[in-house]
Amino acid sequence: MSLDNRTAHDYVKVLNEALPYIQRFQGKTVVIKYGGNAMVDDQLKASFARDIVLLKTVGINPVVVHGGGPQIGSLLEKLNIKSEFVNGMRVTTSETMDVVEMVLGGLVNKDIVSLINQAGGKSFGMTGKDAHSIKARKLKVMRDSPDLRKSEIIDIGHVGEVESIDKSFINWMSDGGYIPVIAPIGVGQDGTSYNINADLVAGKVAEVLGAEKLILLTNISGLQDKSGQILTGLSTDQVNDLIADGTIYGGMLPKIQCALDAVHAGVTSAHIIDGRVAHATLLEIFSDTGVGTLISNQREMLDD
């Protein structure tokens, strides 16, 4: 079956638009935080896997860091283990940590690896405990206490923050033609396992790898101004202004702060994109318009 002229023209237009981006990013590293709707919808899962394989095939080095909050919550419910949250973070007891490791390091991680392999790639799953790649420390959480009229430190168990990342194992996989898929579990100096926010891990991984891009898949279409318009290209100063005037607030703040930290640390650009759109990763990297918000310090990128 041959293509009609209009369809053939559309195909050629897409390929021509993608070419300069393929040339620009060949040999560069792109860190993608994978979560949200893209992680639970079968069609979106398949399109994401194909996107990652295509990136590797054209010479870009993708590194995937994934979440799994809904899957953890579902299994905890089945096991009759109550979920409790403080400041949006799951209180992680030793019992809960066992479930977190089972879900993130096992079920979710291996499912992503399998999808990428089925799409024709070579993927390797790991947690931060493998080769002690992600060193972690216990996260101290402060909460205002009206009764005490001061802030108090809340112990939320095995929840951690990144202390350091050893990039050698990740680079070894990428250099060997594999696509690393990382579960956000770190290890303390005493061998204790820690559950770490996947956005934070992705940001730190992007920093230590000197990534070209940090891409955070979300369940929104990008950062919006107060009138609901999508903000496509922003400098870090503009993002700080949006935080100061209250445009960016609540649950979006930690994600945006992660993106800002990565860009300040040398990552060329961070992207907040809509994971509900099929092939969102390819559209953001290889098209002129993209499907989300780009944050960068480089003026020429914002003007492209």
Side-chain angles (χ1 to χ4, degrees), residues 49-239:
R50 290 181 65 84
D51 287 0
I52 298 304
V53 172
L54 194 149
L55 290 177
K56 190 71 173 179
T57 301
V58 300
I60 297 170
N61 293 315
V63 175
V64 178
V65 178
H66 66 83
Q71 293 89 336
I72 293 169
S74 177
L75 184 53
L76 287 172
E77 186 177 352
K78 290 178 182 177
L79 296 173
N80 292 317
I81 300 174
K82 184 180 178 181
S83 291
E84 184 182 351
F85 294 86
V86 172
N87 295 348
M89 290 173 285
R90 186 186 302 276
V91 176
T92 307
T93 63
S94 296
E95 186 180 30
T96 303
M97 191 66 217
D98 289 340
V99 174
V100 169
E101 292 200 69
M102 184 190 309
V103 174
L104 292 184
L107 298 174
V108 173
N109 190 271
K110 301 316 171 191
D111 182 46
I112 299 168
V113 167
S114 178
L115 285 168
I116 292 173
N117 290 341
Q118 288 175 33
K122 292 196 304 178
S123 185
F124 194 101
M126 61 175 287
T127 76
K129 295 177 68 175
D130 292 313
H132 280 205
S133 298
I134 302 176
K135 298 282 184 63
R137 57 177 171 259
K138 189 180 184 71
L139 179 65
K140 294 182 179 179
V141 178
M142 303 296 292
R143 183 171 66 179
D144 289 335
S145 173
D147 294 335
L148 298 176
R149 297 190 179 183
K150 64 179 182 179
S151 295
E152 59 179 337
I153 298 176
I154 303 297
D155 186 349
I156 57 174
H158 292 254
V159 177
E161 59 183 343
V162 175
E163 187 171 65
S164 65
I165 293 179
D166 183 348
K167 64 183 179 180
S168 57
F169 189 40
I170 302 171
N171 282 336
W172 175 79
M173 285 190 285
S174 289
D175 293 344
Y178 291 92
I179 298 167
V181 177
I182 305 170
I185 298 171
V187 60
Q189 290 186 351
D190 60 355
T192 300
S193 298
Y194 287 103
N195 179 19
I196 311 175
N197 178 279
D199 290 328
L200 298 180
V201 172
K204 294 300 182 185
V205 168
E207 289 178 25
V208 300
L209 294 179
E212 178 71 19
K213 293 180 179 293
L214 167 66
I215 296 178
L216 304 174
L217 271 70
T218 67
N219 288 338
I220 63 171
S221 51
L223 290 181
Q224 300 178 1
D225 61 21
K226 290 185 176 180
S227 64
Q229 295 296 311
I230 302 297
L231 301 167
T232 54
L234 296 170
S235 68
T236 54
D237 287 342
Q238 288 173 314
V239 174

